[in-house]
Amino acid sequence: MTRRLRLAAGLLVAVVTLVLPAVLDDSALAVYILLGLAAMVTVGVSLLMGYAGQVSLGQGAFYAIGAYTAALLALNGAPPLAGLVAAPVAAAISALVIGVPLLRLRGHHLAFATLAMQLILLSLAGQLEFTGGDIGLQGIPQFGVGSFEATSASVYAYLTWAGLALVMLVTHNVIASRPGRALRALATSETAAASSGIPVGRYKLVVFALSATFAGLAGGIYCFYTGYVAPGSFPVLISIQYIVMAVVGGLGTIWGAVVGATAITLLVQGLDLLASLPGMPTYAPSVLSYAVYALVLIVVVLFMPHGLVPAVSGRLSRKRARTPYR
């Protein structure tokens, strides 16, 4: 019965995902696309924090690396498909290089180090000439394959959610594999995992690179959709937002990342509408975002410490256990 319910829920989500781009207007479709991109990055954050036990405040940096890589290749004559493929590869290579020294740190030391990494990257992007400086890169070509060119937002919506489906599939296979079981042991205790023969350092680096790959893929799609990237497109707040999404949905759960991204994205859109009302100060959006993130985290930690998806699934499991068989 549980398997049938999961299959039915999965089919329902797939149908809704395919139908929505055809019925949403342009403004709602933009939110739908950004939601999918955020979910793509959040799946990697959930994998990194929930299974490897590593806290990263710099996922926005890998999002930016993917976007800048795809944009630079497309602007210099490379096919957009090549740019999109290169985006996650560049992010993964960057994570491998950066992760070797950074992953020697733990806890808040690692979190602050990844935050510093994003600040350094944004500073360099704002100073270097080939990245366009603070103005950024403009006029990025539309995504296309051969003679086909993505000229409508609905095409980017399907591309985004196809990318999310791929990310979720890869994550599911990783979790269900033997390395996935080793990662669960690693998240519980690095010392115990190492004493069991698990190569702790190697696994941490691989998961760090895999989460960066997901962020890079999302960044590649983002640059083609917007046609413009700049340091201001990847503020530090965006990395904090991904962590909030992962925690709210449920760390270490695939669907938790999607649910958390949906909840926070819709909440942010509501705050933006509130901040745009007449009489609101110009700094209202950022202040409201930080305040609501803090409030949401406090509520979730107090009342649903494992996140929305584990809380709901746990309640349903207890309800089924109390239901007598007939």
Side-chain angles (χ1 to χ4, degrees):
M1 181 64 68
T2 302
R3 187 174 298 176
R4 290 178 180 177
L5 288 174
R6 290 179 177 177
L7 179 60
L11 290 175
L12 178 62
V13 170
V15 170
V16 172
T17 300
L18 292 173
V19 169
L20 280 178
V23 299
L24 294 176
D25 58 25
D26 289 342
S27 60
L29 202 53
V31 175
Y32 187 62
I33 293 170
L34 295 177
L35 191 160
L37 295 176
M40 207 179 301
V41 182
T42 307
V43 170
V45 173
S46 183
L47 179 66
L48 181 65
M49 295 179 62
Y51 283 89
Q54 307 302 308
V55 181
S56 172
L57 291 175
Q59 289 304 107
F62 300 117
Y63 189 46
I65 289 173
Y68 271 101
T69 298
L72 287 169
L73 288 174
L75 288 171
N76 285 279
L81 180 60
L84 184 59
V85 172
V89 174
I93 293 174
S94 301
L96 290 173
V97 173
I98 297 170
V100 171
L102 287 192
L103 292 179
R104 298 178 182 273
L105 304 173
R106 297 182 182 180
H108 63 279
H109 297 288
L110 176 61
F112 287 136
T114 53
L115 176 61
M117 172 195 68
Q118 181 170 350
L119 292 173
I120 292 171
L121 177 69
L122 294 178
S123 178
L124 288 174
Q127 298 295 325
L128 296 175
E129 183 178 350
F130 74 92
T131 59
D134 289 328
I135 298 176
L137 301 174
Q138 305 178 34
I140 300 170
Q142 296 284 351
F143 178 77
V145 179
S147 59
F148 172 78
E149 188 173 285
T151 56
S152 65
S154 60
V155 175
Y156 285 102
Y158 288 122
L159 177 63
T160 297
W161 285 82
L164 176 59
L166 175 63
V167 164
M168 294 174 70
L169 178 62
V170 170
T171 304
H172 172 75
N173 289 337
V174 169
I175 292 172
S177 66
R178 183 176 179 181
R181 294 190 292 272
L183 287 175
R184 285 191 285 271
L186 174 60
T188 303
S189 171
E190 289 188 15
T191 304
S195 64
S196 301
I198 297 173
V200 173
R202 187 189 309 166
Y203 275 33
K204 287 166 60 177
L205 185 60
V206 169
V207 175
F208 189 62
L210 184 60
S211 68
T213 302
F214 298 162
L217 177 60
I221 297 173
Y222 172 82
C223 90
F224 288 117
Y225 171 60
T226 60
Y228 166 78
V229 292
S233 305
F234 314 99
V236 172
L237 180 61
I238 199 171
S239 294
I240 299 174
Q241 180 176 297
Y242 295 143
I243 291 181
V244 174
M245 290 175 176
V247 172
V248 168
L251 289 174
T253 62
I254 299 175
W255 283 105
V258 180
V259 171
T262 302
I264 298 300
T265 299
L266 296 179
L267 181 60
V268 169
Q269 292 302 314
L271 290 175
D272 289 342
L273 290 176
L274 178 63
S276 63
L277 294 176
M280 296 294 287
T282 56
Y283 55 81
S286 59
V287 172
L288 286 174
S289 295
Y290 280 112
V292 170
Y293 288 161
L295 181 61
V296 168
L297 278 177
I298 291 171
V299 170
V300 169
V301 169
L302 286 178
F303 299 103
M304 293 177 289
H306 298 293
L308 287 172
V309 170
V312 173
S313 61
R315 180 168 295 184
L316 291 176
S317 298
R318 290 191 295 270
K319 185 177 180 180
R320 284 197 301 268
R322 289 195 298 267
T323 302
Y325 290 99
R326 295 182 179 180

